[in-house]
Amino acid sequence: LSTDGTRTVRVRTKVVKPKVTTDQLAAKYPAVVIVNRGAFKLTLYKDLKPAKTYSVAIGQVGLETPAGLYHVQNKAVNPAWTMPNSSWVAPKDRGKVIPGGTAENPLKARWLGIFAGAGIHGTDDVGSIGTAASHGCIRMRIPDVVELYPQVPVNAPVYIA
């Protein structure tokens, strides 16, 4: 426990090569989405390099966007929306289907489903971007989600931090 003595420590090291190369990883995951909830940002990575960052809205307190590693499970253009069986939906409206492409549909132009009804979608409530305002989904401006949609295939990883 003396602090006045000099000591030499020899540590043996060994170079370990990775089992997967960067090129193999980039080929397996040509597109990766990372959502930084604290910064309200979604970044698209192409070939493991950041391609574009978008401002987003995330889930509000009590209906937080779930953290973790997910994958795009399904995609849709002008998706229909089924009002969920949740306390924030009037009991008479639960299960009601709102057709895609209508003003009443909150999903707007595009849908990338990632987890148990949560997904990435457009919004015309641009004032919510940069805030915790959704019911768990990741909201994007409509032109942004239209731009993102064709670049992210089904099964692409989505990491939410």
Side-chain angles (χ1 to χ4, degrees), residues 33 66 69-77 79-80 107 110-122 136-138 145 148-149 152-158 160:
V33 173
L69 177 61
Y70 304 96
H71 290 80
V72 174
Q73 296 175 352
N74 53 62
K75 294 172 58 172
V77 173
L107 303 182
R110 303 291 184 271
W111 169 260
L112 294 95
I114 57 171
F115 174 79
I120 301 166
H121 65 81
C137 288
I138 299 158
V145 77
L148 178 72
Y149 183 86
V152 181
V154 169
N155 292 324
V158 178
I160 302 172

Side-chain angles (χ1 to χ4, degrees), residues 17-82:
K17 292 194 177 214
K19 293 179 182 179
V20 179
T21 67
T22 302
D23 289 342
Q24 290 169 324
L25 198 57
K28 184 172 182 176
Y29 301 110
V32 175
V33 173
I34 296 181
V35 177
N36 180 334
R37 295 179 302 170
F40 304 101
K41 299 290 183 189
L42 178 152
T43 302
L44 169 65
Y45 285 77
K46 294 178 89 176
D47 298 321
L48 305 181
K49 295 180 180 93
K52 186 141 186 198
T53 298
Y54 303 92
S55 293
V56 297
I58 61 167
Q60 60 189 271
V61 173
L63 297 167
E64 289 86 357
T65 302
L69 177 61
Y70 304 96
H71 290 80
V72 174
Q73 296 175 352
N74 53 62
K75 294 172 58 172
V77 173
N78 290 324
W81 178 59
T82 303

Side-chain angles (χ1 to χ4, degrees), residues 116-132:
I120 301 166
H121 65 81
T123 185
D124 58 3
D125 183 6
V126 294
S128 72
I129 301 298
T131 71

